[in-house]
Amino acid sequence: MDDFGIYAVFGTNSPPRKLLSAKGSCRASVAVPPNAQQVVLFSSGRWGERICGNAELSDAERMPITIGKLTPYNKCLSWEQWEEETWTDGVTLSVTLEGGNPVTILTVKDFSEVELIPAVTEYTPKARELNSKRKRASEAEGDRAGWDEENLCPNKAPKDHAFHRGSSDGGKGAFPEYRQDQGQTERDELVKGSDKCGITPIQIPAAPPRGPSSRWGQTLCPIDAQTAILIGGQGARMQFCKDPIWKLCTEDMFWVAAETLAEGPTPEARIGHTSYDPDSGRIFVFGGSKNKKWFNDVHILDTRSKWTMVEAKGKVPPLSYHSCSLFRGELFVLGGVFPRPNPEPDGCSGSLHIFDPHLSIWYQPIVTGKSPSPRSGHSACVMQERKIYVFGGWDTPVCYNDMYMLDLGLMEFSEVKTTGKAPSPRSWHGSATLSDTKFLIHGGYNGSNALQDTFVFDTDTNTWTEVDVPQLSVPRAGHSIITMETPGARRSAGAVSVGRTLLVFGGGDNEGSYYSDLTTVAVEEVLAR
């Protein structure tokens, strides 16, 4: 017997309400009581062949808030109201179940039943006014005072908050979000034709996306020579991505949706977090932010497909837009944004925290020398397994282009005196190591515009060199850059040459466009310039 069901709980005093059942509709909508402080969504029973349940909240203005996905491995979701938002009777919870159900045969008069409002609903959605970021994002410039600036994408310029506002045309960059659906025209014609001929139309599922949706603030982490994992990110209209986890196969540059492939609780949607893959074959996800919520949790993805949330000892503040470097199996977390109690604005950290995954403990080391000033949105590269180079970032309203080096043997900071043409001040740029002595800086945000230039720093000579990389000609910030060994062209003897390749994914241009493109550049090509 199939006893599957999806239930919702509104507040601590409300009993569970059944939204979807095994034999019912594949979609349900229910009004959220205005006094509810929290929404909890959970499944009960055997999932069988069902894939996931997509859940989102929407207000009377049809601006959805993605809660997340229920899966056979993640059977419970929760969402709390924002501190500055007051719920009224205009919020609707919608849940859509994918997979497992037979194709539903519908007549024209039954189409209204696809979005089912259960009989237990006692609240009728009405128009409402939101005192929230989502409301303010659509208002005039003069009404934008009071934004939580420090926790936003790099868009400090008063003239434009487009990074979070999005654009009505869905993105106008060179690589807009993939929105087309193969076969959609044929399906539309099928429904129209069947209606004319008196044939009952059917509900045909859409084709799956070819790759990740457009986003910024995500992480891309290599886990072996042929695979990288994409985690998190945020797209247009401040919406967190409904497809937060993807796997990239670098042999053919093919994306595979990976959210439901791992057991255990997945990290809550976020941006500005960090993730790394040590020799133990694990990816660490630490910190990040979501709306006005900061995180200081640690999640580990075992590459054998299992998520674990660490019960860490010691203290570390909730941080976002920090840097995280791996050295001898430990995570070195520097700087970042941390929340302050109201009415103080959020501030930047200048502290160094270290996480030991073997003992599951956070600690602060004794560091000497001249440390970097507090900042966020900076980059950090580990060079020759003994030094961490920290570049750029900002602490509102100051943007930096200075360089600091942490000697990991002496635990001593020093300011690096550089020569050559240095990058202009910036934050939310991309960085990647090219060799034992060279690393790359690309793009970022300077306080007014997204940037498109590329620089290489030589640690032997402390020299900056600007390089022209035609493949990286699109201004972007909040993107991901990694280096991986990828197969090259076949030689005459039949062997496959292997070279190192830069992979650049996503980001945005601060003009409303978000990217989902994947750009590849040979490391040897960059070093030869």
Side-chain angles (χ1 to χ4, degrees):
M1 180 178 178
D2 195 346
D3 57 351
F4 177 82
I6 292 181
Y7 300 79
V9 178
F10 304 111
T12 57
N13 298 322
S14 172
R17 303 183 179 186
K18 193 169 187 178
L19 303 183
L20 295 174
S21 61
K23 297 182 179 180
S25 172
C26 62
R27 179 177 172 86
S29 297
V30 61
V32 177
N35 59 347
Q37 299 294 311
Q38 185 182 55
V39 174
V40 177
L41 198 67
F42 65 94
S43 68
S44 177
R46 295 182 295 272
W47 275 75
E49 297 181 358
R50 299 176 182 91
I51 300 173
C52 65
N54 298 305
E56 64 180 30
L57 293 167
S58 60
D59 61 26
E61 298 177 345
R62 297 295 183 264
M63 299 177 70
I65 307 167
T66 300
I67 299 180
K69 290 186 178 183
L70 294 174
T71 74
Y73 308 113
N74 186 29
K75 299 180 180 180
C76 184
L77 296 170
S78 65
W79 193 88
E80 297 180 5
Q81 74 171 63
W82 298 352
E83 294 178 1
E84 81 277 24
E85 181 179 7
T86 301
W87 288 9
T88 66
D89 52 0
V91 179
T92 301
L93 170 67
S94 298
V95 184
T96 305
L97 188 63
E98 297 181 6
N101 288 343
V103 176
T104 305
I105 306 298
L106 301 172
T107 63
V108 175
K109 67 179 181 179
D110 292 327
F111 277 173
S112 61
E113 298 178 6
V114 175
E115 295 194 7
L116 175 67
I117 300 180
V120 296
T121 301
E122 301 172 1
Y123 307 90
T124 304
K126 300 177 183 178
R128 66 171 188 164
E129 292 297 324
L130 280 180
N131 178 24
S132 67
K133 293 179 192 174
R134 293 181 292 113
K135 176 68 175 176
R136 291 197 296 272
S138 62
E139 293 177 344
E141 288 295 327
D143 296 329
R144 290 194 180 121
W147 277 53
D148 183 12
E149 297 287 358
E150 194 67 61
N151 189 34
L152 296 183
C153 181
N155 55 352
K156 286 294 180 183
K159 68 181 179 67
D160 192 359
H161 284 279
F163 235 118
H164 278 265
R165 184 177 65 249
S167 59
S168 59
D169 60 359
K172 49 189 177 181
F175 304 98
E177 177 181 356
Y178 171 74
R179 299 180 182 276
Q180 293 183 344
D181 200 353
Q182 273 193 331
Q184 184 63 51
T185 302
E186 288 81 353
R187 286 195 292 271
D188 291 344
E189 292 300 323
L190 172 61
V191 173
K192 292 178 181 178
S194 58
D195 189 23
K196 293 178 181 179
C197 300
I199 304 174
T200 302
I202 62 174
Q203 187 181 24
I204 305 177
R210 295 177 178 176
S213 60
S214 304
R215 66 191 69 195
W216 84 279
Q218 71 287 332
T219 56
L220 186 62
C221 181
I223 61 174
D224 57 42
Q226 291 84 33
T227 312
I229 298 293
L230 176 69
I231 300 175
Q234 178 178 289
R237 299 178 180 86
M238 298 174 62
Q239 298 304 303
F240 286 83
C241 298
K242 298 179 181 179
D243 52 340
I245 303 177
W246 287 80
K247 180 172 69 173
L248 174 66
C249 303
T250 59
E251 286 185 320
D252 52 8
M253 296 301 169
F254 185 76
W255 289 102
V256 177
E259 183 180 11
T260 61
L261 299 183
E263 298 180 357
T266 58
E268 188 174 345
R270 62 191 67 193
I271 56 176
H273 54 286
T274 48
S275 58
Y276 286 86
D277 175 41
D279 295 335
S280 59
R282 296 181 294 175
I283 293 177
F284 293 89
V285 177
F286 165 72
S289 61
K290 178 182 180 181
N291 302 325
K292 287 184 67 68
K293 182 177 182 180
W294 276 261
F295 301 95
N296 64 347
D297 50 353
V298 178
H299 294 259
I300 300 177
L301 174 60
D302 188 309
T303 52
R304 293 186 295 273
S305 300
K306 183 177 181 180
W307 280 104
T308 303
M309 184 173 178
V310 178
E311 297 291 338
K313 298 180 278 297
K315 293 184 178 180
V316 63
L319 291 171
S320 185
Y321 314 122
H322 50 279
S323 65
C324 185
S325 307
L326 181 71
F327 176 67
R328 294 181 178 175
E330 294 184 320
L331 301 182
F332 284 62
V333 174
L334 176 66
V337 179
F338 64 91
R340 287 174 174 164
N342 292 331
E344 294 185 56
D346 302 314
C348 284
S349 168
S351 302
L352 176 65
H353 295 81
I354 299 179
F355 178 70
D356 183 343
H358 301 291
L359 301 177
S360 295
I361 189 171
W362 285 99
Y363 66 95
Q364 281 190 270
I366 298 175
V367 181
T368 61
K370 183 179 181 181
S371 302
S373 59
R375 64 191 61 201
S376 65
H378 53 285
S379 61
C381 291
V382 179
M383 304 300 295
Q384 299 176 330
E385 297 186 354
R386 68 173 187 267
K387 299 177 181 179
I388 297 179
Y389 284 82
V390 180
F391 171 76
W394 77 358
D395 187 4
T396 308
V398 181
C399 210
Y400 300 107
N401 68 337
D402 50 2
M403 178 89 74
Y404 286 83
M405 186 268 290
L406 174 62
D407 188 311
L408 295 168
L410 303 175
M411 291 304 293
E412 180 181 13
F413 267 114
S414 61
E415 187 172 5
V416 180
K417 303 299 182 181
T418 67
T419 60
K421 181 182 179 181
S424 59
R426 67 191 62 203
S427 63
W428 287 277
H429 48 276
S431 66
T433 56
L434 302 178
S435 67
D436 289 340
T437 61
K438 294 181 179 181
F439 64 86
L440 171 143
I441 296 292
H442 168 65
Y445 177 74
N446 64 6
S448 298
N449 304 296
L451 305 171
Q452 62 189 57
D453 46 8
T454 304
F455 296 82
V456 173
F457 185 75
D458 190 328
T459 60
D460 277 346
T461 61
N462 289 340
T463 302
W464 283 108
T465 303
E466 184 174 11
V467 295
D468 180 24
V469 184
Q471 300 95 316
L472 303 180
S473 60
V474 176
R476 68 181 74 209
H479 49 294
S480 300
I481 301 182
I482 60 173
T483 54
M484 294 187 67
E485 291 187 355
T486 53
R490 291 187 174 273
R491 298 172 183 167
S492 57
V496 178
S497 63
V498 176
R500 301 189 72 210
T501 302
L502 278 173
L503 303 180
V504 183
F505 172 80
D509 68 352
N510 200 43
E511 298 294 337
S513 295
Y514 293 78
Y515 306 136
S516 60
D517 60 313
L518 180 67
T519 303
T520 61
V521 184
V523 170
E524 292 78 7
E525 179 182 339
V526 177
L527 293 174
R529 294 182 180 275

